[in-house]
Amino acid sequence: MSDITVVHVMRHGEVANPDGVLYGRLPGYRLSELGQQMAERVAEHLASRDITHVVSSPLERARETATPIARSHGLELATDGRLIEADNVFQGKTFGVGDGALRRPENWKHLVNPFKPSWGEPYVDQVVRMMGALDAAKDAARGHEAVCVSHQLPIWIVRSYVERRRLWHDPRKRQCTLASLTTFTYQGDRIVSVGYSEPARDLVPAHLLAGAKPVKGKSKAFGA
């Protein structure tokens, strides 16, 4: 058996969210039609890979994204609660300075410490659970490849940890576009490289691509 194992950590596809709320861990937020196309596109991209394990966050949008990948490899989809979205006190609210949660003074207390952060699950806690989920996927697919479907912030935080960057950051600079793959290559039990790709890039609206500048009247995906 090879001592090289590859774990692809995928961000789910676009979510149907007409009210523009920060949906976080709320149930009922499913993929949009475009999000379903993204999931199918990545499944096609990974069809020839040696994938022996597919696991997702328990949230609907993640499971729907992972399903075509598991199906194309004849695998049963597993779930791992450690891959879930980061907790956030603004969950269920619109989020913005002019017309959202930031407008109300009672919410300002949650913004005092961006380094922890004070508005949600500590970054360190996200690292611990995500590393545990990645290690479990690596063990399940040892010598082969695994796919884990998760959410933007936890993916970016675990990548930042592995690449030895500070965990606090500007959210606009996360390199973790919808339906992207952040790929961790293990030699034995040690991560030796990290890669990033966007197999469904042509399906992602321009204002949602990694590093895109805000466009008036449009917003980033909420609680992704």
Side-chain angles (χ1 to χ4, degrees):
M1 179 183 294
S2 171
D3 67 344
I4 299 297
T5 306
V6 177
V7 178
H8 305 280
V9 186
M10 181 182 176
R11 183 182 171 193
H12 61 77
E14 185 190 62
V15 175
N17 182 21
D19 297 325
V21 302
L22 183 73
Y23 40 78
R25 295 180 176 181
L26 293 174
Y29 283 89
R30 311 182 73 93
L31 294 182
S32 65
E33 183 176 342
L34 179 59
Q36 294 169 11
Q37 293 176 28
M38 293 176 182
E40 293 289 349
R41 172 68 62 80
V42 178
E44 293 171 6
H45 174 77
L46 295 173
S48 63
R49 307 290 299 204
D50 182 25
I51 292 168
T52 60
H53 182 65
V54 181
V55 59
S56 83
S57 155
L59 295 175
E60 291 99 323
R61 59 191 186 270
R63 290 189 283 110
E64 289 178 338
T65 300
T67 295
I69 301 171
R71 183 175 60 239
S72 70
H73 290 275
L75 299 171
E76 182 175 347
L77 175 61
T79 58
D80 188 331
R82 293 172 293 187
L83 294 170
I84 200 168
E85 173 65 291
D87 197 18
N88 192 307
V89 298
F90 297 113
Q91 176 178 287
K93 302 176 182 179
T94 55
F95 192 80
V97 176
D99 58 355
L102 295 184
R103 187 178 183 180
R104 295 186 284 276
E106 64 268 23
N107 289 327
W108 296 350
K109 65 180 180 290
H110 298 302
L111 306 175
V112 296
N113 185 357
F115 305 106
K116 185 178 180 179
S118 53
W119 56 81
E121 182 183 10
Y123 293 138
V124 171
D125 291 356
Q126 294 179 53
V127 169
V128 171
R129 65 176 173 86
M130 287 294 288
M131 286 300 298
L134 266 62
D135 284 344
K138 173 258 299 175
D139 290 340
R142 191 173 290 273
H144 304 278
E145 301 185 29
V147 176
C148 303
V149 179
S150 186
H151 308 267
Q152 186 191 57
L153 179 55
I155 296 171
W156 181 248
I157 289 300
V158 75
R159 177 180 172 184
S160 296
Y161 170 77
V162 170
E163 295 183 331
R164 300 188 178 184
R165 289 191 302 273
R166 67 184 186 220
L167 301 183
W168 59 274
H169 60 283
D170 181 344
R172 296 169 297 182
K173 296 183 179 180
R174 295 173 190 159
Q175 188 184 40
C176 191
T177 293
L178 289 166
S180 61
L181 296 171
T182 300
T183 300
F184 299 85
T185 299
Y186 287 79
Q187 184 172 35
D189 294 322
R190 183 172 64 92
I191 295 174
V192 294
S193 69
V194 180
Y196 177 79
S197 61
E198 298 175 354
R201 181 181 177 88
D202 62 305
L203 297 176
V204 180
H207 68 285
L208 296 179
L209 290 168
K213 294 181 179 180
V215 177
K216 187 175 182 179
K218 296 183 182 292
S219 60
K220 291 280 186 179
F222 294 87

